Amino acid sequence: MCRFVLFLIVVSCGLLSAAEKPNIVFLFSDDHALAAISAYGSHLKDAAPTPNLDRIAKEGALFRRSYCTNSICGPSRASILTGKHSHKNGFLDNEMCEFDGSQATFPKGLQAVGYETAIVGKWHLASKPTGFDYWEILPGQGSYYNPDFVQMDGTSKRFEGYCTDIVTDKALEWLKTKRSKDKPFLLMCQHKAPHRNWMPAARHYGLFKDADLPEPATLFDNYEGRSKLVAGQQMSVAEDFHWGHDLLLHGKPVDPRFLGGIPNGEYQRMTEAQKAEFDAAYGPENEKFIADLKAGKLDDVALTKWKYQRYIKNYLRCVRAVDENVGRVLAYLDEAGLSENTIVIYSSDQGFYLGEHGWYDKRWMFEESLSMPFLIRWPGVVRPGGRPEAMIQNIDYAPTFLAAAGAPVPEDIQGRNLLPVLQSEATPEDWRKSIYYAYYGENTHRVPMHDGVRTERHKLMFFPNSREWQLFDLDKDPQEMKSVHDDPAYSTVMSEMMREYVKLRDDYDVVNSVIPTQRMAEDWWRERFQQKQKQTRDVKECRVVFLGDSITQGWEGPGKEAWEANFAGYHPLNLGFSGDRTEHLQWRLKYSELDRVKPKVAVLLIGTNNTGHLQRPAEETVAGIQAVIAELHAKSPETKVILQSVLPRGPNAEDPLRKLNDSINVLAAKLADGKLIRHVDYSGLFLNADGTLPKELMPDLLHLSPAAYQKWAEALKGDIEKSLAE
Ligand code: CA
């Protein structure tokens, strides 16, 4: 306890000398589920022990309530580096984003107080590392076999061997020979494993060979009792494994119940000797399996069970190598006398489905992928065997490392310094009672965007594109098999959780209208986006681009005739997507190729779905419109914008959504700048004198008839001509 108090005083005075500042060894892996660490206890703990990880949990603390902000690789890493949620650090998804390395990160903060910093292994943030004195990283996802490493001079070097071992070799080499011994240090040792495609080290090919590993209780989940979106994913053990890439079989599938598209690229990277070793281990089992398949011996259930066994064994074999290599680092710290003054943390960028809900992969806010392992050893500060109950999140790591080093914690960091929890083990009175989560969607695996809040007992999720809520009572339904959002018995809980959701979003400044968001999980939207990308790429000249939602898309439908008659001469491009809100148009512009065609004029109409879908305040929608224009001008700085008033909707002037649109228009008019942005209001074209909408112009009181498009086209043409002439 004395040491403890002394430590606190020293930290608070900011007087840590180099010798007293703790070193930080941050051991990190990719997609490591809690269920695959024996210290956490699970149906797999006896079959697949992890003694070295368990050693950290024994000599330090294990957090069970540890969560990510956004359950995929890059976004989790960006949250860790910055201490901020994805919408603040800008790294929303793996597919499109590139980390902005100019922002404040904790390694930079540590450097500022005299730390030497290094990262080896998986980085996965597209841009080059900043804030590190030394780095050597895997390109993108990296490879399990004979991996390439990007060097600090930008060249790439190949190293023969198994990635998990090589990453550790490099980490130890830095500790032993490359760092300055008179400085405190941060070492981030980041493994690729156990990420897909789960290629084990040769020494582990035989592990679990004759065992039948236990299945999770929900392997055959039928997805009843929850939104249809849950069934719509493409990450199921039964249906979404590739014959080669995931199940490590050679050649083409001999049965239609496999995806055949991607071969096992890791096998192709192997040396002849490595291939021979792999084939000797897997060959006989594969031959028997293929013979059984051909003989029709495996019904759907038996095949799913086989796929699960193949998957889980390879996954746990990869984990075994991670565990052994964690052991190597711990042994070196002991040997070098560094253990006493070094914080050792083990975590992984998010959890993973090991067959739960019939899945592999992550992304969902369900427990298995929301959770992150978090083990921490810090002699003299963290009680050995500690099991703190506090809810922590990956945005907490940055402020914790900074505070531990006696470095200032920037004001805008969204995470909380864990030192009070680490020191007392008890949850402080003012600690958070809930966490906020947001997944922004990707093309891969078709998991739609959702966000939500988790308290100790309940979890509320929201799917904005289909406007669905899901509520789970984690005490009564820990496996999250039935949403109780519309159960009258939960109406009070539902309102409390919705209040908490609104509060957390306010606290973290989540304004969706300005967060570029895609809808790739929706087939038609993805296809239209791809088709429009191609059209933009192929077009020789485009003088006018139309940007918007269904009303703009409608120029291809009820407005087709008016479009042809009035606009054909402009070589126009219609980038209207039904149902889009400002955030979706912003995303499309961000990844569009409009910089190639640089249209003279953009006709913009967006915002009515921010009103209609989510009833967000007018200020937020206008901020979204502003962000759309900024994104357009980032691509094509000279384009003149005809910003149209959001069209009237609803039966009359008293309609609440009409009023909301009216207030958007009052604010949006102020965006006109007398140069590039002109605001025009065509509302009058569609309204009766008493404020009602005539059915012959707007049959559903939102969308336009051919006659309405005709009126609109004529008015618009005049303004387009004006803008073109300017
Ligand atoms: Ca990951």
Short mmCIF file of all heavy atoms in Angstrom, two decimals, residues 41 110 164 197 206 211 238 286 326 354 374 394 444 455 483 511 563 614 628 630 666-667 676 692 696 719:
data_model
loop_
_atom_site.label_atom_id
_atom_site.label_comp_id
_atom_site.label_asym_id
_atom_site.label_seq_id
_atom_site.Cartn_x
_atom_site.Cartn_y
_atom_site.Cartn_z
N GLY A 41 -12.07 -18.55 -18.75
CA GLY A 41 -13.01 -19.64 -18.51
C GLY A 41 -14.02 -19.69 -19.64
O GLY A 41 -14.62 -18.69 -19.98
N LEU A 110 3.90 9.93 -25.17
CA LEU A 110 4.96 9.28 -24.40
C LEU A 110 6.33 9.78 -24.85
O LEU A 110 7.22 10.05 -24.03
CB LEU A 110 4.89 7.76 -24.55
CG LEU A 110 3.65 7.08 -23.95
CD1 LEU A 110 3.71 5.57 -24.16
CD2 LEU A 110 3.51 7.37 -22.46
N THR A 164 3.97 -15.22 -36.21
CA THR A 164 3.88 -14.95 -34.77
C THR A 164 5.26 -15.05 -34.12
O THR A 164 5.61 -14.24 -33.24
CB THR A 164 2.89 -15.93 -34.12
OG1 THR A 164 1.68 -15.91 -34.90
CG2 THR A 164 2.58 -15.55 -32.69
N ASN A 197 -6.74 -16.27 -42.28
CA ASN A 197 -7.32 -17.57 -42.54
C ASN A 197 -6.80 -18.68 -41.62
O ASN A 197 -6.84 -19.85 -42.01
CB ASN A 197 -7.12 -17.95 -44.01
CG ASN A 197 -5.68 -18.31 -44.35
OD1 ASN A 197 -4.73 -17.89 -43.69
ND2 ASN A 197 -5.51 -19.14 -45.37
N GLY A 206 -0.46 -30.82 -35.49
CA GLY A 206 -1.02 -32.05 -34.90
C GLY A 206 -1.86 -31.81 -33.65
O GLY A 206 -2.50 -32.73 -33.14
N ALA A 211 -9.02 -34.93 -31.27
CA ALA A 211 -10.04 -34.47 -30.31
C ALA A 211 -11.28 -33.99 -31.05
O ALA A 211 -11.23 -33.65 -32.22
CB ALA A 211 -9.46 -33.33 -29.48
N ALA A 238 -21.72 -22.41 -41.41
CA ALA A 238 -22.37 -23.36 -42.32
C ALA A 238 -22.24 -22.94 -43.79
O ALA A 238 -22.05 -23.79 -44.65
CB ALA A 238 -23.84 -23.50 -41.94
N ASN A 286 -7.73 -34.69 -45.10
CA ASN A 286 -8.46 -34.07 -46.21
C ASN A 286 -8.97 -35.13 -47.19
O ASN A 286 -10.10 -35.05 -47.67
CB ASN A 286 -7.57 -33.08 -46.96
CG ASN A 286 -7.31 -31.82 -46.13
OD1 ASN A 286 -7.90 -31.65 -45.07
ND2 ASN A 286 -6.41 -30.98 -46.61
N VAL A 326 3.99 -15.02 -26.21
CA VAL A 326 3.81 -14.16 -25.04
C VAL A 326 4.73 -14.67 -23.93
O VAL A 326 5.41 -13.88 -23.25
CB VAL A 326 2.33 -14.16 -24.58
CG1 VAL A 326 2.18 -13.59 -23.17
CG2 VAL A 326 1.47 -13.37 -25.57
N LEU A 354 -16.59 -17.75 -32.14
CA LEU A 354 -16.02 -19.08 -32.30
C LEU A 354 -17.19 -20.05 -32.45
O LEU A 354 -17.37 -20.95 -31.66
CB LEU A 354 -15.15 -19.42 -31.09
CG LEU A 354 -13.99 -18.45 -30.84
CD1 LEU A 354 -13.18 -18.85 -29.62
CD2 LEU A 354 -13.08 -18.34 -32.07
N PHE A 374 -8.56 -8.20 -21.81
CA PHE A 374 -7.69 -7.17 -21.23
C PHE A 374 -7.06 -7.73 -19.97
O PHE A 374 -7.71 -7.89 -18.93
CB PHE A 374 -8.47 -5.88 -20.93
CG PHE A 374 -7.56 -4.72 -20.59
CD1 PHE A 374 -6.94 -3.99 -21.59
CD2 PHE A 374 -7.31 -4.38 -19.26
CE1 PHE A 374 -6.09 -2.92 -21.29
CE2 PHE A 374 -6.47 -3.31 -18.94
CZ PHE A 374 -5.86 -2.58 -19.96
N ASN A 394 -11.59 0.36 -25.20
CA ASN A 394 -10.25 0.56 -25.77
C ASN A 394 -9.85 2.04 -25.87
O ASN A 394 -8.66 2.33 -26.00
CB ASN A 394 -10.09 -0.14 -27.14
CG ASN A 394 -11.20 0.19 -28.11
OD1 ASN A 394 -12.19 0.84 -27.75
ND2 ASN A 394 -11.05 -0.23 -29.35
N THR A 444 -17.84 -6.31 -46.85
CA THR A 444 -17.56 -7.66 -46.39
C THR A 444 -18.53 -8.11 -45.31
O THR A 444 -18.78 -7.38 -44.35
CB THR A 444 -16.14 -7.70 -45.75
OG1 THR A 444 -15.30 -6.86 -46.51
CG2 THR A 444 -15.60 -9.10 -45.70
N THR A 455 -25.17 -1.40 -20.76
CA THR A 455 -25.00 -1.15 -19.34
C THR A 455 -24.59 -2.47 -18.71
O THR A 455 -24.38 -3.46 -19.41
CB THR A 455 -26.30 -0.65 -18.69
OG1 THR A 455 -27.30 -1.66 -18.86
CG2 THR A 455 -26.78 0.64 -19.34
N SER A 483 -34.71 -10.46 -28.63
CA SER A 483 -34.82 -9.03 -28.35
C SER A 483 -36.14 -8.75 -27.65
O SER A 483 -37.19 -9.24 -28.06
CB SER A 483 -34.74 -8.22 -29.65
OG SER A 483 -35.01 -6.86 -29.35
N VAL A 511 -22.73 12.95 -34.21
CA VAL A 511 -23.71 13.60 -35.09
C VAL A 511 -23.65 12.85 -36.41
O VAL A 511 -22.78 13.07 -37.24
CB VAL A 511 -23.35 15.10 -35.28
CG1 VAL A 511 -24.36 15.77 -36.21
CG2 VAL A 511 -23.31 15.80 -33.93
N TRP A 563 -36.17 15.03 -67.91
CA TRP A 563 -34.70 15.02 -67.87
C TRP A 563 -34.12 15.05 -69.28
O TRP A 563 -33.29 15.89 -69.61
CB TRP A 563 -34.27 13.77 -67.09
CG TRP A 563 -32.82 13.39 -67.12
CD1 TRP A 563 -32.17 12.69 -68.11
CD2 TRP A 563 -31.84 13.66 -66.11
NE1 TRP A 563 -30.85 12.49 -67.77
CE2 TRP A 563 -30.61 13.07 -66.55
CE3 TRP A 563 -31.86 14.31 -64.88
CZ2 TRP A 563 -29.45 13.13 -65.79
CZ3 TRP A 563 -30.68 14.37 -64.13
CH2 TRP A 563 -29.49 13.80 -64.59
N LEU A 614 -35.05 9.75 -39.26
CA LEU A 614 -34.54 9.82 -37.88
C LEU A 614 -35.02 11.05 -37.11
O LEU A 614 -34.73 11.18 -35.94
CB LEU A 614 -32.99 9.79 -37.91
CG LEU A 614 -32.37 8.59 -38.62
CD1 LEU A 614 -30.85 8.73 -38.72
CD2 LEU A 614 -32.70 7.29 -37.90
N VAL A 628 -21.45 17.71 -47.00
CA VAL A 628 -21.58 17.20 -48.37
C VAL A 628 -20.90 18.16 -49.34
O VAL A 628 -20.12 17.77 -50.21
CB VAL A 628 -23.08 17.03 -48.74
CG1 VAL A 628 -23.24 16.92 -50.26
CG2 VAL A 628 -23.66 15.80 -48.05
N ALA A 630 -18.61 20.35 -48.69
CA ALA A 630 -17.16 20.35 -48.45
C ALA A 630 -16.52 19.14 -49.15
O ALA A 630 -15.44 19.25 -49.74
CB ALA A 630 -16.87 20.31 -46.95
N VAL A 666 -34.48 27.29 -43.77
CA VAL A 666 -34.11 28.61 -43.23
C VAL A 666 -32.60 28.64 -42.96
O VAL A 666 -31.90 29.59 -43.33
CB VAL A 666 -34.90 28.91 -41.93
CG1 VAL A 666 -34.37 30.17 -41.26
CG2 VAL A 666 -36.39 29.03 -42.25
N LEU A 667 -32.11 27.56 -42.35
CA LEU A 667 -30.68 27.52 -42.01
C LEU A 667 -29.81 27.30 -43.24
O LEU A 667 -28.74 27.91 -43.39
CB LEU A 667 -30.41 26.41 -41.00
CG LEU A 667 -31.05 26.59 -39.62
CD1 LEU A 667 -30.91 25.31 -38.79
CD2 LEU A 667 -30.40 27.76 -38.89
N LEU A 676 -19.54 30.30 -54.83
CA LEU A 676 -19.71 28.93 -55.34
C LEU A 676 -21.07 28.33 -55.01
O LEU A 676 -21.53 27.43 -55.68
CB LEU A 676 -18.60 28.04 -54.77
CG LEU A 676 -17.21 28.19 -55.38
CD1 LEU A 676 -16.20 27.35 -54.61
CD2 LEU A 676 -17.21 27.78 -56.85
N THR A 692 -51.17 23.11 -48.75
CA THR A 692 -51.34 21.67 -48.98
C THR A 692 -50.58 21.26 -50.25
O THR A 692 -50.23 22.11 -51.08
CB THR A 692 -52.82 21.29 -49.14
OG1 THR A 692 -53.37 22.07 -50.21
CG2 THR A 692 -53.61 21.54 -47.86
N GLU A 696 -51.68 15.48 -57.53
CA GLU A 696 -51.21 15.23 -58.90
C GLU A 696 -49.72 15.55 -59.06
O GLU A 696 -49.06 15.08 -59.98
CB GLU A 696 -52.07 15.98 -59.95
CG GLU A 696 -52.05 17.49 -59.86
CD GLU A 696 -53.10 18.05 -58.88
OE1 GLU A 696 -53.58 17.28 -58.00
OE2 GLU A 696 -53.41 19.25 -58.97
N ASP A 719 -31.85 28.10 -63.74
CA ASP A 719 -30.78 28.31 -62.76
C ASP A 719 -29.48 27.64 -63.18
O ASP A 719 -28.39 28.16 -62.90
CB ASP A 719 -31.24 27.81 -61.38
CG ASP A 719 -32.14 28.84 -60.71
OD1 ASP A 719 -31.73 30.01 -60.63
OD2 ASP A 719 -33.26 28.48 -60.30
#
